[in-house]
Amino acid sequence: MALVPCQVLRAAILLSYCSILCNYKAIDMPAHQTYGGSWKFLTFIDLVIQAVFFGICVLTDLSSLLTKGNDSQEQERQLKKLISLRDWVMAVLAFPVGVFVVTMFWSIYIYDRELVYPKLLDNFIPAWLNHGMVSKVMQTLPCKTRSVRH
């Protein structure tokens, strides 16, 4: 049962998204104590969507590795359902929301930083975490798109 580099890459991407989520949730920011908490930020919602999507990808990879060689029709049917769920999440949520968040965030950031990421947030959110939440999507989605044909 040898792991393909693409499968290892998807597992590493999932771990990096989980790490970013944990670091973001560990920040004591006043906006997290108001109505909606961090769920009112589209960048956070996108980060959760990407983490769930790559979780489904890793689950699909593990399932395909474990069912390889088995002739069970039921396992094949379940694997096809999981693959169709992965493809649906990619087409409906992960890719469109990810591209929208990245393009809108950086377009507005270039136009007027204070509209989307005020300088006050630099005291709470480090630059690496901001890039991990926003820019990482445009690094990981092309890798996923090139490694698996949907």
Side-chain angles (χ1 to χ4, degrees):
M1 223 187 320
L3 289 176
V4 180
C6 294
Q7 295 164 332
V8 174
L9 177 67
R10 286 190 284 272
I13 290 170
L14 173 64
L15 290 175
S16 69
Y17 275 123
C18 291
S19 169
I20 291 169
L21 273 169
C22 290
N23 281 309
Y24 181 74
K25 291 306 282 181
I27 294 173
D28 186 31
M29 203 163 68
H32 290 176
Q33 281 79 33
T34 61
Y35 179 76
S38 53
W39 288 99
K40 64 182 163 235
F41 302 118
L42 191 56
T43 52
F44 178 75
I45 293 170
D46 180 44
L47 187 63
V48 171
I49 289 171
Q50 299 300 323
V52 167
F53 170 67
F54 278 99
I56 293 171
C57 290
V58 169
L59 184 63
T60 304
D61 291 340
L62 288 174
S63 296
S64 66
L65 283 174
L66 294 175
T67 60
K68 190 176 276 187
N70 292 350
D71 293 333
S72 173
Q73 299 261 332
E74 180 63 27
Q75 288 178 344
E76 284 294 322
R77 193 172 62 77
Q78 295 297 330
L79 182 60
K80 286 182 182 181
K81 282 184 181 179
L82 195 56
I83 289 171
S84 67
L85 174 67
R86 178 198 67 192
D87 293 344
W88 182 84
V89 171
M90 172 71 170
V92 174
L93 290 173
F95 189 78
V97 174
V99 170
F100 176 78
V101 167
V102 171
T103 55
M104 287 296 104
F105 180 88
W106 289 115
S107 299
I108 295 171
Y109 188 92
I110 289 169
Y111 177 72
D112 184 9
R113 176 190 172 153
E114 293 298 315
L115 291 174
V116 71
Y117 190 72
K119 286 196 184 273
L120 173 71
L121 289 179
D122 288 339
N123 298 331
F124 299 103
I125 302 174
W128 69 268
L129 187 58
N130 181 39
H131 281 287
M133 290 181 65
V134 181
S135 303
K136 187 167 190 62
V137 175
M138 289 312 288
Q139 298 165 354
T140 58
L141 281 180
C143 292
K144 173 68 177 116
T145 307
R146 298 215 10 116
S147 65
V148 174
R149 186 173 176 269
H150 294 276

